[in-house]
Amino acid sequence: MRSGPFRVALATSFAFATGILIPLPLRASDEIPPSKTDLLQHAQAALAVLPTQYSLTLHTHRDGGGFHAWQRFVTVSSLVEYESASGDGRFYSLAWALLADRRGLDGNDDFLWVAEADLDMAAIMTDKLSQQHAIQDAETIFKQIATQYWDETCGGGVWWDHARTYKNAITNELFLDVAARLQNVTGRSDYKNWAERTWRWFSESGMISPSHAVNDGLAHHCHNNGGPPYSYNQGVVLDALLHLFAITGKKPLLDEATRIAEEALAAGTTQSNGFREAEAPMTVDSQIFRGIFVRAFGHLVPALPPGPKRARLSSWLKDESRALWKNRFQQTHFNATWEKAPQQPTAQAQITAANLFVAAASLPNDATQ
């Protein structure tokens, strides 16, 4: 009988040789609640796979492959999130290279993801000139969309596409969030005015259902089209409301963000306490949705006052992060579904896993109280 270490080495060699990833056996340490340091190490391990195994994938600039151009900028924001939480700058050069690659962008939402990444990078830049250039780039994107793609069709809002065929949630949530963030970094009141105007329109547009689920967009008759409440739609609006709350101090914004988060968990939680997307099977786009959601969710929880709601939301993050770590494969790969099977590791799965671990690591010590 071969020793245990030999069997682990043999399994690892098999994984490298065949491309088949093998679930790791549970270890005693997996049953111990992870510390903040543990969680950040988990995030680092998930992200470390990106430059070694997905370097070409991250620069994909044509649809039809396993990664879409807009997801490159979500990756930038995720790398920055990790650095901000950990102080570890090992992925800075990767984030910078991804931010500079603008190939393959299409709709207004794509460019607003760039603006979000600009502002995230600016927050960790030490060179003031580079920081200012990043903020100015975000301003240029915002102004172009505000000038060319906001109109009074359906009472307001910006168009998703340049052909002006669809007004949807994600584009307007991003537009709102970028406006609020630009007011914060520039101090200019016109950005605050845009943010408040956008939220007034969005909150009355019908895209938020009576249960506080954010649907995909508006039909041609300007009513909720009943599109799936994708998890990233529930996430981006959390950040947007938090940033709007920060510049206005209006508590109802925080209350609405909490209701949206609670509804997202109620709708997405499975019988086994996992988390499902609004549509299955996952597409290339939706494989990264939950990473966007949990990153914003991790911003919301610390902003809530102590109490049962914060405790419940915090516990969900902790439980999901522990379950996901147990479901990892050899070489610290993950599934986009966060489940053990089927084995379908992707770059998006690594990013969503890292975002979950960082969100759980960022919880205050008394978050479950």
Side-chain angles (χ1 to χ4, degrees):
M1 177 67 69
R2 296 289 188 178
S3 66
F6 177 84
R7 290 198 300 274
V8 172
L10 181 62
T12 303
S13 298
F14 179 76
F16 274 107
T18 65
I20 297 173
L21 297 176
I22 302 168
L24 289 171
L26 289 181
R27 304 171 183 173
S29 60
D30 290 337
E31 301 302 324
I32 301 172
S35 66
K36 176 178 179 178
T37 300
D38 294 332
L39 289 163
L40 292 174
Q41 288 175 345
H42 297 347
Q44 186 271 319
L47 294 172
V49 174
L50 297 178
T52 60
Q53 298 187 33
Y54 294 106
S55 58
L56 295 178
T57 299
L58 296 176
H59 288 280
T60 299
H61 55 94
R62 292 184 179 89
D63 284 350
F67 198 83
H68 289 165
W70 69 272
Q71 295 175 325
R72 192 157 54 243
F73 302 93
V74 176
T75 306
V76 172
S77 295
S78 300
L79 294 171
V80 171
E81 188 87 359
Y82 167 75
E83 180 169 340
S84 298
S86 66
D88 177 5
R90 73 181 67 200
F91 301 115
Y92 184 86
S93 60
L94 174 60
W96 182 262
L98 295 175
L99 182 63
D101 186 353
R102 307 294 172 92
R103 296 174 299 168
L105 298 174
D106 186 12
N108 289 325
D109 56 338
D110 287 10
F111 287 94
L112 287 165
W113 285 116
V114 177
E116 294 275 16
D118 276 330
L119 294 173
D120 288 329
M121 282 293 288
I124 64 169
M125 288 176 174
T126 56
D127 179 74
K128 295 299 182 182
L129 183 59
S130 297
Q131 184 183 61
Q132 192 57 38
H133 283 166
I135 294 171
Q136 288 173 349
D137 188 51
E139 289 191 277
T140 298
I141 291 169
F142 181 85
K143 289 175 182 177
Q144 181 176 358
I145 292 173
T147 301
Q148 298 183 23
Y149 296 103
W150 178 288
D151 64 23
E152 294 309 308
T153 302
C154 297
V158 293
W159 293 98
W160 165 65
D161 56 341
H162 299 161
R164 295 174 172 81
T165 66
Y166 188 37
K167 288 192 174 181
N168 67 346
I170 194 61
T171 310
N172 284 281
E173 290 173 343
L174 289 166
F175 186 76
L176 165 58
D177 192 43
V178 171
R181 295 183 71 185
L182 283 172
Q183 196 282 332
N184 188 51
V185 298
T186 68
R188 291 179 48 180
S189 61
D190 54 330
Y191 290 124
K192 179 182 177 182
N193 294 339
W194 267 115
E196 292 188 306
R197 179 183 182 185
T198 304
W199 174 243
R200 268 196 310 274
W201 172 79
F202 188 78
S203 64
E204 297 171 359
S205 69
M207 280 186 276
I208 304 177
S209 74
S211 69
H212 301 280
V214 181
N215 290 99
D216 192 61
L218 299 177
H220 292 298
H221 50 64
C222 296
H223 294 159
N224 187 320
N225 64 7
Y230 297 116
S231 64
Y232 80 149
N233 282 335
Q234 321 313 307
V236 173
V237 74
L238 299 185
D239 268 341
L241 290 172
L242 279 174
H243 290 133
L244 187 55
F245 171 66
I247 63 175
T248 65
K250 296 178 179 178
K251 188 176 179 298
L253 298 169
L254 191 60
D255 296 337
E256 178 61 10
T258 305
R259 287 190 288 266
I260 291 171
E262 290 180 316
E263 170 59 21
L265 294 193
T269 300
T270 67
Q271 289 184 343
S272 59
N273 289 323
F275 186 76
R276 62 171 175 265
E277 288 300 327
E279 272 192 337
M282 285 186 180
T283 64
V284 171
D285 281 333
S286 63
Q287 287 176 18
I288 208 168
F289 285 177
R290 66 184 56 202
I292 297 166
F293 171 68
V294 294
R295 185 157 54 89
F297 194 92
H299 299 157
L300 172 65
V301 175
L304 299 177
K309 287 186 178 181
R310 188 174 79 162
R312 184 165 58 253
L313 300 183
S314 299
S315 293
W316 182 82
L317 274 178
K318 290 185 175 183
D319 292 345
E320 286 297 307
S321 63
R322 288 183 66 186
L324 179 58
W325 185 246
K326 291 178 183 179
N327 287 347
R328 71 196 185 279
F329 296 96
Q330 297 284 354
Q331 308 166 50
T332 322
H333 280 84
F334 300 91
N335 278 324
T337 60
W338 293 353
E339 298 171 347
K340 274 189 177 293
Q343 299 173 31
Q344 296 176 336
T346 62
Q348 295 94 322
Q350 301 304 117
I351 294 160
T352 66
N355 282 335
L356 177 60
F357 296 137
V358 172
S362 301
L363 294 172
N365 293 331
D366 64 345
T368 55
Q369 298 178 8

